[in-house]
Amino acid sequence: MSREQDIKNAVEVLRQGGVILYPTDTVWGIGCDATNAEAVKRVYDIKQRDDSKALICLVDSDARLQRYVRNVPDVAWQLIDSLQDSGCKPTTLILDGAVNLAPNLIADDGSIALRITQEPFSKELCYRFQKALVSTSANISGKPAAQNYCDIAPELLESVDYVCWSRRQEHKPHQPSSIIRLRPDGEVVIIRE
């Protein structure tokens, strides 16, 4: 199957409120429409994860990021630019003032974890979908994240509506993203290196 057809199939499932498994700029992810509360609930159920633990969302561009955060602080743009320029591993930012997302995706303090993906497949998927995409590691909560397709547990493969074909043959190490919390007062807190 071509990458283009794979993305087209995934987008169709996402638009119908479905849940997918897909390769990202880090580990394999469980994804859904980040604006659809029912789909987000299904992701929590599939992962057997407490919904008080926030999920990460992927976007394809600066413009898309701005759609989901009321006021992106200047320090966030500086961080994004410096991390991309330095070739650091993918970094997720936790930002305050989340808007236009499913309520059960937003943390109690009103924040959201967002990452702009540079990896070709997930970037194209986000671009074609035209919305933020939930991107939580493809594993049952507490178990190791699936670095490659072959690491995904059979029960996860059976519990989603679509499993992407792209990058299934890969067998190389992948790590979860770094996570940085930007506080309203400008303080930068490293949550996960």
Side-chain angles (χ1 to χ4, degrees):
M1 178 184 304
S2 70
R3 187 173 92 174
E4 189 175 324
Q5 187 60 51
D6 199 14
I7 287 171
K8 189 176 178 184
N9 293 349
V11 166
E12 194 172 307
V13 169
L14 292 166
R15 287 195 176 130
Q16 293 170 1
V19 175
I20 66 169
L21 283 168
Y22 68 109
T24 75
D25 53 344
T26 59
V27 296
W28 269 71
I30 302 174
C32 72
D33 177 349
T35 67
N36 182 326
E38 285 181 31
V40 170
K41 182 186 181 312
R42 267 194 68 206
V43 170
Y44 277 114
D45 291 346
I46 288 167
K47 276 188 72 81
Q48 300 171 27
R49 183 173 176 155
D50 182 349
D51 67 7
S52 66
K53 292 186 176 181
L55 301 173
I56 291 171
C57 293
L58 279 188
V59 292
D60 64 317
S61 65
D62 293 357
R64 192 105 45 222
L65 180 115
Q66 288 180 287
R67 189 183 296 176
Y68 301 110
V69 177
R70 193 167 284 113
N71 292 305
V72 180
D74 288 341
V75 68
W77 297 123
Q78 293 163 4
L79 259 173
I80 289 166
D81 289 343
S82 69
L83 291 167
Q84 286 175 355
D85 292 345
S86 67
C88 287
K89 79 176 187 173
T91 301
T92 300
L93 298 181
I94 300 175
L95 301 166
D96 287 305
V99 292
N100 304 320
L101 292 163
N104 53 343
L105 197 54
I106 299 170
D108 291 341
D109 65 2
S111 67
I112 188 67
L114 287 163
R115 184 168 74 250
I116 300 171
T117 179
Q118 299 301 326
E119 183 273 327
F121 182 84
S122 54
K123 188 175 185 82
E124 180 78 6
L125 179 62
C126 290
Y127 174 75
R128 296 278 173 215
F129 186 52
Q130 293 286 298
K131 292 183 189 178
L133 195 58
V134 166
S135 180
T136 183
S137 56
N139 61 317
I140 303 297
S141 197
K143 304 276 190 208
Q147 293 185 38
N148 296 286
Y149 171 78
C150 61
D151 302 322
I152 301 171
E155 67 261 32
L156 281 184
L157 294 169
E158 293 165 13
S159 61
V160 299
D161 303 301
Y162 185 73
V163 181
C164 291
W165 287 89
S166 299
R167 292 179 47 204
R168 282 194 187 188
Q169 303 308 316
E170 268 186 12
H171 292 283
K172 59 184 189 180
H174 295 278
Q175 297 177 331
S177 68
S178 299
I179 300 177
I180 296 176
R181 173 75 163 102
L182 298 182
R183 300 215 180 273
D185 61 5
E187 183 187 4
V188 176
V189 180
I190 295 171
I191 306 290
R192 180 172 73 198
E193 285 193 52

